[in-house]
Amino acid sequence: MDPFKIACHSFVQVPHCFPPTNAIIMQNNSRTIQPRCRWTWTGIKRCLHLCFFRQFFRVPTSPNSCVNSMTMESVIVFCFGFFTLICGSSYAALITKAELTAALTSSGFPAPSDEQYKNIVTRCEKSGKITTKRELAMFLANVFQESDGLRAKKEYNPPAGAYQAPGGAPGKRYYGRGYLQLSWVYNYKAASQALYKDDRLVKDPDQVATKDDVAWDTAFWYWSANVHSAPGVSEGKFGATTKAINGALECGGAAVGTEQAKRRFEFYKKISAAFKLSGKPVENGCYN
């Protein structure tokens, strides 16, 4: 999320000058009250300049001006809070760690680490285009299935000689890694270019499994590139996400594949309950 949007919703409130539900744009020594989310960087700079600068030099102001009701302590508090927000120590999270923990433990898995939680909530929109709790729940249901409840960041016992294809680095194998088990060299290439503008993941595919941030970034990239806009996903049809990820392997009617797809949906129901999502989870889009 853009830091100024975060600041708009999480603003440090300075008495008088910055009321809790309104924004103030300073023009010609007067205060114009506007809805809080109309804050702009220009407006913020104006208020900082006019209030802070005039306080130092005691420029005469009208009785109702910002400066006469603002102390230097208030200005310092405002500046500290504002730049703390801009520097990224605060972010808007779609879910709490308690909700993620409940989703995992109710599904039979251990609680997440702090690093895992932070990487999810700070990367889901930027790398995955995920902006709603429902889509994040659908994403995580597939992640739970692919990563054995966030415990496996690489494929268990990949077959010898598997995943070999032209275009890879010598001696490297491109089996499933990361929280959505990124597989095959063409996906490693595409993810690397999209995320880093180079081929680092082709040269060193193991980092998708060894670095938690990369494991999440590649999972979110795959979701944004292949699942986010797939038919049915925006309508909340969970089966559509499974079909976008594994196609006929799980949605082609074979008994084994159908059981795997149904297991994903069971995770989705658990996560939906943990996230307190409204409405009944929709199963359609894969085997029905």
Side-chain angles (χ1 to χ4, degrees):
M1 179 178 286
D2 184 272
F4 298 115
K5 291 181 182 177
I6 297 173
C8 171
H9 291 283
S10 309
F11 233 72
V12 174
Q13 297 169 16
V14 179
H16 308 296
C17 190
F18 299 95
T21 58
N22 295 312
I24 300 169
I25 306 301
M26 297 297 297
Q27 291 180 328
N28 300 325
N29 280 343
S30 65
R31 296 184 296 170
T32 301
I33 308 298
Q34 295 182 339
R36 193 177 187 186
C37 285
R38 293 289 299 279
W39 264 111
T40 63
W41 178 225
T42 300
I44 293 167
K45 288 194 294 184
R46 284 178 181 172
C47 198
L48 278 175
H49 171 77
L50 290 170
C51 294
F52 198 58
F53 180 84
R54 288 180 177 178
Q55 183 70 22
F56 267 120
F57 293 97
R58 303 294 179 183
V59 177
T61 59
S62 64
N64 295 322
S65 71
C66 175
V67 175
N68 284 344
S69 61
M70 176 181 269
T71 64
M72 277 303 299
E73 181 181 9
S74 297
V75 173
I76 293 170
V77 169
F78 168 77
C79 291
F80 176 79
F82 176 72
F83 288 110
T84 296
L85 287 168
I86 296 305
C87 289
S89 65
S90 175
Y91 48 81
L94 279 178
I95 57 171
T96 65
K97 189 180 180 186
E99 288 175 323
L100 179 60
T101 299
L104 279 162
T105 55
S106 66
S107 300
F109 301 120
S113 67
D114 289 340
E115 182 182 26
Q116 287 173 323
Y117 168 71
K118 184 176 180 180
N119 281 333
I120 290 170
V121 297
T122 58
R123 286 174 156 76
C124 62
E125 181 176 1
K126 178 183 177 182
S127 298
K129 300 180 182 177
I130 296 172
T131 59
T132 67
K133 289 181 77 170
R134 187 170 302 281
E135 187 175 355
L136 184 57
M138 292 194 289
F139 168 80
L140 288 172
N142 286 288
V143 164
F144 284 13
Q145 171 75 359
E146 297 284 345
S147 68
D148 194 14
L150 308 191
R151 294 180 295 185
K153 287 185 283 189
K154 66 179 181 179
E155 185 176 341
Y156 292 143
N157 304 315
Y163 301 103
Q164 292 181 341
K172 301 298 182 181
R173 296 173 62 200
Y174 301 92
Y175 55 79
R177 296 180 179 88
Y179 287 107
L180 273 184
Q181 298 294 295
L182 189 72
S183 305
W184 299 104
V185 67
Y186 60 85
N187 279 321
Y188 280 79
K189 282 184 177 180
S192 194
Q193 285 296 324
L195 293 169
Y196 312 114
K197 311 302 181 188
D198 57 34
D199 61 351
R200 71 183 66 181
L201 300 185
V202 177
K203 293 178 179 177
D204 181 16
D206 286 331
Q207 64 185 295
V208 179
T210 58
K211 297 180 179 181
D212 198 68
D213 57 342
V214 179
W216 284 114
D217 276 340
T218 54
F220 282 126
W221 166 80
Y222 189 87
W223 183 272
S224 69
N226 300 283
V227 186
H228 174 75
S229 299
V233 174
S234 63
E235 300 167 32
K237 295 179 179 179
F238 179 76
T241 70
T242 303
K243 186 175 182 179
I245 292 171
N246 270 340
L249 289 175
E250 293 188 20
C251 303
V256 174
T258 299
E259 286 304 310
Q260 292 295 319
K262 286 184 175 180
R263 188 166 185 258
R264 292 174 192 264
F265 184 65
E266 289 302 312
F267 288 144
Y268 178 54
K269 290 195 291 185
K270 297 284 189 183
I271 298 169
S272 295
F275 288 4
K276 299 178 176 63
L277 298 179
S278 61
K280 183 180 178 180
V282 180
E283 191 173 6
N284 296 6
C286 178
Y287 45 80
N288 58 1

